[in-house]
Amino acid sequence: MLPSQPTRPQPYRAYRLPAFLLSAMLLAAVGVATVWGLREFASSSQWVEHSYQVLGEIEATVAATRTVESSARGYRLTDRSTLHAEYLTSIPGALSSAGRLVALTADNPPQNHLARDLERKVRARLTEIDRLVELHSRDPAQARIDAQTSKGYEQMRELTALAQVMRERERALLAARHARSEHRASLLTALVVLGIGLAMVLLALLMYSLWRENRRSRELERETRQALIDLEASASERHLLTERHRSLSHYAGLLQSCQNLQEAMDMTAHLIADLIPSIGGRCYILRASQNLAETAARFGEEKIVSADLLHPNDCWALRRGQLQQVQGDRGAVRCNHLEPARGGDDPRWNLCVPLMAQNTSLGLLCLSGEQPPQDADLLLIQSIAEQLSQAIVNLQLRETLRVQSLRDPLTGLFNRRYLEENLQRELLRCQRRKLPLSVLMLDIDHFKRFNDTHGHAAGDALLARVGQVLHDLVRNEDIACRYGGEEFTIVLPETDAATALKRAEQIRAAIGSTTILHLRQTFGPATCSIGLATSQDDRETPQQLLQIADAALYRAKGEGRDRVVDGNRALATA
């Protein structure tokens, strides 16, 4: 079980509910105040609009009265019927405006009193105008005299003065209403801002307290989750290590049962692919000559391609006898057998692990991947390399014993059994890689006569000397064998007919200039005949190549010996 974490008491927990209730009350009060303020604002707007209507009706009443007066005066001066009709139609407008003004000011007694006075003065003025119009209709001259002595001017001046008083009072009332609206708006704004501010402060404090407690809870939850993850990772790692140890033990047992190096390499590749599927690479085996390492097995997908054949000097791990790891262009020096880096921030990595035993290089494990390996993977790879190195030593020792049984004791060359085993392998390898392979069949001229003349001991000395010459002239990858009696066979992998013909001429010339010293006597030089055969396609067999080379050898003897005959060319011209 995980240890329980002590929780510290929260000092502000007791104040959370009161703070929440107070915040709710403040927000509710702000809402009520906002609704009341909106209603007051609507009422104030209506009263302001009412004041503007009163002012408008005052102006309309005065204007309508002046219109009646102007129409009547124009009619009296011109007697035009249109002006008389205009006069008659304008009277109801003036009376109507005065009546509406009285109705609008009904809520304001002082203004209503003035409005009624204004209405009476309007009616008085209209009555006077109507009297003059009627008089004009009967007696225009008398109407002009009465107009000069009429009180119309005084009536109109009093009417205008009264209208001005009403305007001033209504404007004062309008200003007061504006001021009251502004005051209420400012008060409402202050109340809303203060209420919301206090509520937000209380809510912020409440949220801060909750946030601190939640953060602590999340920290405890995260610590608990991380502890569980670490526990699961530890259990998974222990299980993985157990499985790897079991696999390594099983692998070590299987290595002891391998019959050859290829089996050991294939088994190693399969084990690495199963235990570390994220990496790929290949296993190399150094040839007995220690000058070339050849790919023996592959596994996974190589992220950094390595050469099929490499020289030990091309790999820093083989040079130093130590593990060599490189990632991109960083770190250690890059081995020459690897493809060039992409440049920039290349995440790919390569690992070269030398296979060594008794201070001798045996081979190489070359691995690569997208992400750098973990320490556990490195330890596993090193353990596999150690076990594989010991297995290689044992298999090579066993192979050495087997090869010794395949050597010709007189010449030191391979015997016919070795030729038959390895010619098949080399031919298939070259055919798979679309490379040529040539075979030389060599026979010492007149060897039977030399043997009969100088004795079998001298004949054996000559055969040993020819074997030494062949051993010195062939390459490390060539196979020189004593085929039987005085016949020798040389397998030249990856060699075309033209190159094989030059090599055959070199061998013929070297044997032709060789002498031997036996029992204080010098014998030689001896000559030889050579038949050549070169693989033409991927369907040829070792027996066919040997038959072609043997037929070319007999043709060389038939043509006079001490010469080289190309069997493929002879078949083409036959």
Side-chain angles (χ1 to χ4, degrees), residues 237-480:
E237 186 175 356
R238 285 198 301 270
H239 177 72
L240 179 62
L241 290 176
T242 301
E243 287 296 320
R244 286 185 171 182
H245 283 306
R246 185 186 62 80
S247 299
L248 283 176
S249 300
H250 183 66
Y251 168 70
L254 292 176
L255 281 179
Q256 302 300 322
S257 304
C258 289
Q259 295 297 320
N260 52 57
L261 287 176
Q262 191 59 49
E263 283 187 0
M265 290 298 170
D266 292 339
M267 188 183 304
T268 302
H270 182 71
L271 177 69
I272 297 177
D274 283 346
L275 296 184
I276 318 176
S278 60
I279 66 174
R282 60 180 73 197
C283 305
Y284 289 95
I285 285 294
L286 273 171
R287 293 183 176 178
S289 58
Q290 296 284 306
N291 67 338
L292 278 177
E294 183 179 4
T295 300
R298 300 170 184 263
F299 51 89
E301 180 184 356
E302 283 185 300
K303 302 301 180 182
I304 301 179
V305 179
S306 179
D308 291 334
L309 288 173
L310 62 90
H311 194 277
N313 289 334
D314 292 336
C315 181
W316 286 95
L318 289 177
R319 285 193 200 181
R320 301 167 60 236
Q322 297 178 3
L323 180 145
Q324 180 81 0
Q325 182 176 352
V326 179
Q327 181 177 2
D329 292 330
R330 304 187 299 272
V333 180
R334 196 179 187 86
C335 296
N336 292 331
H337 61 91
L338 301 175
E339 67 173 346
R342 295 174 181 170
D345 190 12
D346 189 356
R348 299 178 302 166
W349 61 271
N350 169 261
L351 179 67
C352 293
V353 183
L355 303 177
M356 300 189 66
Q358 301 174 358
N359 295 325
T360 302
S361 296
L362 306 172
L364 178 71
L365 287 180
C366 183
L367 309 99
S368 60
E370 290 289 350
Q371 299 297 329
Q374 300 179 358
D375 293 339
D377 295 338
L378 289 177
L379 293 175
L380 175 63
I381 293 170
Q382 290 177 334
S383 179
I384 292 174
E386 291 175 0
Q387 296 191 29
L388 181 60
S389 298
Q390 294 299 325
I392 291 175
V393 170
N394 296 333
L395 290 171
Q396 285 183 342
L397 179 60
R398 187 187 306 171
E399 183 68 13
T400 299
L401 296 176
R402 189 184 71 83
V403 170
Q404 287 178 352
S405 66
L406 300 178
R407 290 279 184 179
D408 176 60
L410 177 62
T411 61
L413 303 178
F414 293 109
N415 57 24
R416 184 168 181 171
R417 176 185 173 187
Y418 184 85
L419 172 68
E420 292 172 352
E421 290 182 358
N422 287 272
L423 178 56
Q424 175 76 18
R425 177 176 60 84
E426 290 295 330
L427 180 60
L428 290 176
R429 184 179 67 84
C430 290
Q431 288 175 346
R432 185 169 60 251
R433 299 179 182 179
K434 306 299 182 183
L435 298 173
L437 180 141
S438 297
V439 175
L440 303 180
M441 293 287 287
L442 182 150
D443 185 89
I444 300 175
D445 296 332
H446 304 296
F447 179 75
K448 186 175 184 304
R449 185 171 62 186
F450 180 88
N451 203 29
D452 294 339
T453 303
H454 303 290
H456 290 289
D460 290 344
L462 178 59
L463 291 175
R465 181 57 181 162
V466 171
Q468 181 63 41
V469 170
L470 294 179
H471 182 272
D472 294 339
L473 289 179
V474 298
R475 303 171 300 177
N476 291 327
E477 60 267 28
D478 297 338
I479 302 174

Side-chain angles (χ1 to χ4, degrees), residues 442-547:
L442 182 150
D443 185 89
I444 300 175
D445 296 332
H446 304 296
F447 179 75
K448 186 175 184 304
R449 185 171 62 186
F450 180 88
N451 203 29
D452 294 339
T453 303
H454 303 290
H456 290 289
D460 290 344
L462 178 59
L463 291 175
R465 181 57 181 162
V466 171
Q468 181 63 41
V469 170
L470 294 179
H471 182 272
D472 294 339
L473 289 179
V474 298
R475 303 171 300 177
N476 291 327
E477 60 267 28
D478 297 338
I479 302 174
C481 304
R482 184 181 178 188
Y483 196 70
E486 69 274 18
E487 276 191 295
F488 298 85
T489 303
I490 303 172
V491 180
L492 304 175
E494 304 179 15
T495 304
D496 56 16
T499 305
L501 188 62
K502 293 179 181 180
R503 297 281 303 282
E505 289 291 349
Q506 293 174 356
I507 293 172
R508 185 191 64 79
I511 294 176
S513 61
T514 299
T515 59
I516 60 171
L517 180 63
H518 179 69
L519 298 178
R520 298 182 180 180
Q521 293 184 4
T522 301
F523 301 100
T527 62
C528 67
S529 301
I530 301 176
L532 165 65
T534 302
S535 61
Q536 300 293 324
D537 54 45
D538 57 0
R539 293 187 298 274
E540 287 182 319
T541 63
Q543 291 74 19
Q544 291 174 336
L545 285 177
L546 291 175
Q547 288 175 3

